[in-house]
Structure formats: C-alpha cells, structure tokens
Amino acid sequence: MTILTDVRLGVNIDHVATIRNARGSMYPDPIEAAVLAQNEGADGITAHLREDRRHIRDEDIDGLIAALNIPLNFEMAATEEMQKIALKHKPHAVCLVPEKREERTTEGGLDVLKEETKLEAFIKPLNNAGCRVSLFIAAVPAQVEAAKRVGAAVVELHTGAYCDYYYESKHSNCEAEFENLKKMCGYAHSLGLEVHAGHGLTFETVGPIAAFPELKELNIGHFLISDAVFNGLGASIKKMKKLIEEARTS
Ligand code: PXP
C-alpha cells in the first residue's frame, strides 16, 4: 500500500452567496457556511469576488477574514480593481481566474502565455504582500511553463472538461483528459510549482484526481453545496474528505 501526503480540501462557498443573492436576503450567510466548513474539516475556504458581485460581496471578505482561522483563497480576475482589494485584505492566497460577464462559471483556464507581461507585473505586488499566487489554467505544457515564468507559486489545473466528459459518458475523452491532467500535475511539480486542481469535482470524479502523487490541494464548491441540500454541509464535507484520504492511501 502506498501512502501519499495529504491533499488539502478547499471549500468554495460562492454558491451559498448565490442563493442569498437570488432573493436579496441576508441568508444563507456565506460566512456562517465558511465557519461551519472550517469546523467540519475544511482545510481552506475559497471565495470568488466577481466583477458583477454575483457570488460574495465586498463586505463578505472582511467577514471571512475575521471569522476564519484556516486560509482564505481569494479568487479574482486580474483587474486593477481586484488587485487593490487583494492588497488591502492580503488573504493567504490569491487565485487568478479568467472572467467573462456572460459565463455561468469559470469556463476555461487563464491564457498565461498570451498575457505573460501583464501577469508578471500584476503578480509581483501580490507576492510582495505575502499572498501565495495561484493561476487557474488548462493542463497544457506551455501554460504551465508560462505560469512558472511569470512568478506564480501555484498552478490550479482545470478539471472541468474531465468531469464533463465523465458525466456525458465520453469515456475515451475522459480518459485522455485524465491522463493529460496527471501528466501536467507531474510536469508542473517538476518545475517547482505547487499543484492544485478543481472545477466540477464530485464524489464520483474526485478519487482519481486526488490520487495524483504531486497534488497538494483540491478546490470544490458547486457539488458540495448541492449535496448539502440533501445531506447537510458537514456530512458532505466529511464524505469528500474521506474520499480524498482513501485515494491517497489506496
Ligand atoms: N477552482 C477554481 C479556480 C474555480 O474558479 C472554481 C469555480 O469557482 C472552482 C475551483 C470550484 O469549482 P466547482 O464549484 O465546480 O467545484
């Protein structure tokens, strides 16, 4: 039996805020969800302040920072407005994602290669402020190499396509995407980058990804909040943690 080092579970609480915002009400409170997640074994909390504030809002960041004693991973687009907010709050981590107003969720990875000069300058003050900068990218060697060049400490590999193929029963595409993610996890690690993964992961799809030897963190949101409707957030987190742990020890 091989036992690998632990993989952290970052719980994304954006969709608690989405439900709150749907009615313009005060509940459910994403901060209460984050504290509950912390108490139930989450290793970190992820929250995305989008340009249109459809998930968390500015005032939620203060609340999260005050309430949490686990790391906050602040997801944001590489814009001047967001950089100012990040530098004001100095969260443990900043994850840069592409953002389009019309998209339902973060649809693709960041094109680091295309925006190399801009991103290098953008990341520097965040690094200097002590934020661990992560780039959310597709599992493509040129993007991994560019992430290293621009000074990111971490890459988060986009698992959305792997999950979509899994649920569409496109077995050969799913297998090919999986193998590619596995290879890129090893490659990014070999360049000295810390490797995370996330997007679309569920109880059914998490295990094979969690078993990548070099992986350090998984960020999961939509499925956990969905499962929590039926089973409660604590139970959903505990089950996800157990599946991740099992994948590391089998
Ligand atoms: N990682 C990143 C960078 C993301 O943008 C998202 C979605 O906000 C996730 C992970 C979590 O994806 P999901 O909500 O599908 O689990």
Short mmCIF file of all heavy atoms in Angstrom, two decimals, residues 144-145 148 155 182-195 214:
data_model
loop_
_atom_site.label_atom_id
_atom_site.label_comp_id
_atom_site.label_asym_id
_atom_site.label_seq_id
_atom_site.Cartn_x
_atom_site.Cartn_y
_atom_site.Cartn_z
N VAL A 144 1.68 25.92 -18.30
CA VAL A 144 2.40 25.60 -17.06
C VAL A 144 3.75 26.33 -17.05
O VAL A 144 4.12 26.97 -16.05
CB VAL A 144 2.61 24.07 -16.93
CG1 VAL A 144 3.52 23.74 -15.76
CG2 VAL A 144 1.27 23.34 -16.82
N GLU A 145 4.45 26.26 -18.17
CA GLU A 145 5.77 26.91 -18.27
C GLU A 145 5.64 28.44 -18.12
O GLU A 145 6.45 29.07 -17.44
CB GLU A 145 6.42 26.57 -19.62
CG GLU A 145 6.85 25.11 -19.69
CD GLU A 145 6.93 24.56 -21.12
OE1 GLU A 145 6.85 25.37 -22.07
OE2 GLU A 145 7.05 23.33 -21.28
N LYS A 148 5.13 29.48 -14.53
CA LYS A 148 6.41 29.49 -13.80
C LYS A 148 7.17 30.79 -14.10
O LYS A 148 7.68 31.45 -13.20
CB LYS A 148 7.22 28.26 -14.23
CG LYS A 148 8.59 28.16 -13.62
CD LYS A 148 8.53 27.82 -12.16
CE LYS A 148 9.92 27.85 -11.53
NZ LYS A 148 9.85 27.73 -10.08
N VAL A 155 -0.01 26.42 -9.57
CA VAL A 155 -0.99 26.34 -10.66
C VAL A 155 -2.16 25.48 -10.19
O VAL A 155 -1.96 24.48 -9.50
CB VAL A 155 -0.43 25.76 -11.99
CG1 VAL A 155 0.44 26.78 -12.70
CG2 VAL A 155 0.29 24.44 -11.79
N LYS A 182 -2.93 14.27 -15.24
CA LYS A 182 -1.96 13.55 -14.41
C LYS A 182 -0.53 13.93 -14.84
O LYS A 182 0.34 14.20 -14.00
CB LYS A 182 -2.20 12.05 -14.59
CG LYS A 182 -1.43 11.18 -13.65
CD LYS A 182 -1.88 9.75 -13.82
CE LYS A 182 -1.03 8.81 -13.01
NZ LYS A 182 -1.39 7.42 -13.27
N LYS A 183 -0.32 13.93 -16.15
CA LYS A 183 1.00 14.27 -16.69
C LYS A 183 1.38 15.72 -16.33
O LYS A 183 2.49 15.99 -15.89
CB LYS A 183 0.96 14.10 -18.22
CG LYS A 183 2.31 13.82 -18.82
CD LYS A 183 2.18 13.19 -20.18
CE LYS A 183 2.32 14.24 -21.25
NZ LYS A 183 2.00 13.81 -22.59
N MET A 184 0.41 16.64 -16.47
CA MET A 184 0.70 18.06 -16.19
C MET A 184 0.92 18.31 -14.70
O MET A 184 1.66 19.21 -14.33
CB MET A 184 -0.45 18.95 -16.71
CG MET A 184 -0.39 19.22 -18.18
SD MET A 184 1.24 19.69 -18.78
CE MET A 184 1.68 18.22 -19.66
N CYS A 185 0.28 17.51 -13.87
CA CYS A 185 0.49 17.63 -12.42
C CYS A 185 1.97 17.32 -12.12
O CYS A 185 2.64 18.08 -11.43
CB CYS A 185 -0.45 16.67 -11.69
SG CYS A 185 -0.38 16.82 -9.91
N GLY A 186 2.44 16.23 -12.70
CA GLY A 186 3.85 15.85 -12.51
C GLY A 186 4.79 16.88 -13.12
O GLY A 186 5.82 17.24 -12.53
N TYR A 187 4.43 17.38 -14.30
CA TYR A 187 5.30 18.33 -15.00
C TYR A 187 5.42 19.65 -14.22
O TYR A 187 6.51 20.17 -14.01
CB TYR A 187 4.77 18.58 -16.41
CG TYR A 187 5.63 19.50 -17.23
CD1 TYR A 187 7.00 19.26 -17.36
CD2 TYR A 187 5.09 20.62 -17.87
CE1 TYR A 187 7.80 20.11 -18.10
CE2 TYR A 187 5.89 21.47 -18.61
CZ TYR A 187 7.25 21.22 -18.72
OH TYR A 187 8.04 22.06 -19.45
N ALA A 188 4.26 20.18 -13.78
CA ALA A 188 4.27 21.45 -13.03
C ALA A 188 5.09 21.28 -11.75
O ALA A 188 5.88 22.17 -11.39
CB ALA A 188 2.84 21.88 -12.71
N HIS A 189 4.92 20.17 -11.09
CA HIS A 189 5.67 19.90 -9.85
C HIS A 189 7.18 19.87 -10.15
O HIS A 189 7.99 20.41 -9.39
CB HIS A 189 5.20 18.57 -9.27
CG HIS A 189 5.96 18.14 -8.06
ND1 HIS A 189 5.75 18.68 -6.82
CD2 HIS A 189 6.97 17.23 -7.91
CE1 HIS A 189 6.57 18.11 -5.95
NE2 HIS A 189 7.32 17.24 -6.59
N SER A 190 7.54 19.25 -11.29
CA SER A 190 8.97 19.15 -11.65
C SER A 190 9.59 20.53 -11.92
O SER A 190 10.79 20.70 -11.81
CB SER A 190 9.15 18.23 -12.87
OG SER A 190 8.80 18.93 -14.05
N LEU A 191 8.74 21.51 -12.25
CA LEU A 191 9.25 22.89 -12.47
C LEU A 191 9.30 23.68 -11.17
O LEU A 191 9.65 24.86 -11.16
CB LEU A 191 8.34 23.63 -13.47
CG LEU A 191 8.23 23.08 -14.89
CD1 LEU A 191 7.37 23.99 -15.74
CD2 LEU A 191 9.59 22.90 -15.53
N GLY A 192 8.88 23.06 -10.07
CA GLY A 192 8.92 23.74 -8.77
C GLY A 192 7.63 24.44 -8.41
O GLY A 192 7.58 25.22 -7.46
N LEU A 193 6.56 24.18 -9.17
CA LEU A 193 5.26 24.78 -8.85
C LEU A 193 4.48 23.86 -7.91
O LEU A 193 4.57 22.63 -8.03
CB LEU A 193 4.45 24.97 -10.15
CG LEU A 193 4.98 26.03 -11.11
CD1 LEU A 193 4.46 25.78 -12.52
CD2 LEU A 193 4.59 27.42 -10.63
N GLU A 194 3.71 24.46 -7.00
CA GLU A 194 2.77 23.66 -6.21
C GLU A 194 1.54 23.43 -7.09
O GLU A 194 1.13 24.34 -7.81
CB GLU A 194 2.41 24.42 -4.92
CG GLU A 194 1.48 23.61 -4.02
CD GLU A 194 1.29 24.25 -2.65
OE1 GLU A 194 2.28 24.61 -1.98
OE2 GLU A 194 0.12 24.39 -2.24
N VAL A 195 0.97 22.22 -7.01
CA VAL A 195 -0.14 21.92 -7.93
C VAL A 195 -1.45 21.70 -7.18
O VAL A 195 -1.52 20.89 -6.24
CB VAL A 195 0.16 20.70 -8.82
CG1 VAL A 195 -0.90 20.57 -9.91
CG2 VAL A 195 1.55 20.79 -9.44
N GLU A 214 1.68 14.22 -6.80
CA GLU A 214 2.26 15.54 -6.52
C GLU A 214 1.21 16.57 -6.09
O GLU A 214 1.55 17.70 -5.75
CB GLU A 214 2.96 16.09 -7.78
CG GLU A 214 4.02 15.18 -8.38
CD GLU A 214 3.45 14.15 -9.34
OE1 GLU A 214 2.20 14.11 -9.51
OE2 GLU A 214 4.24 13.38 -9.91
#
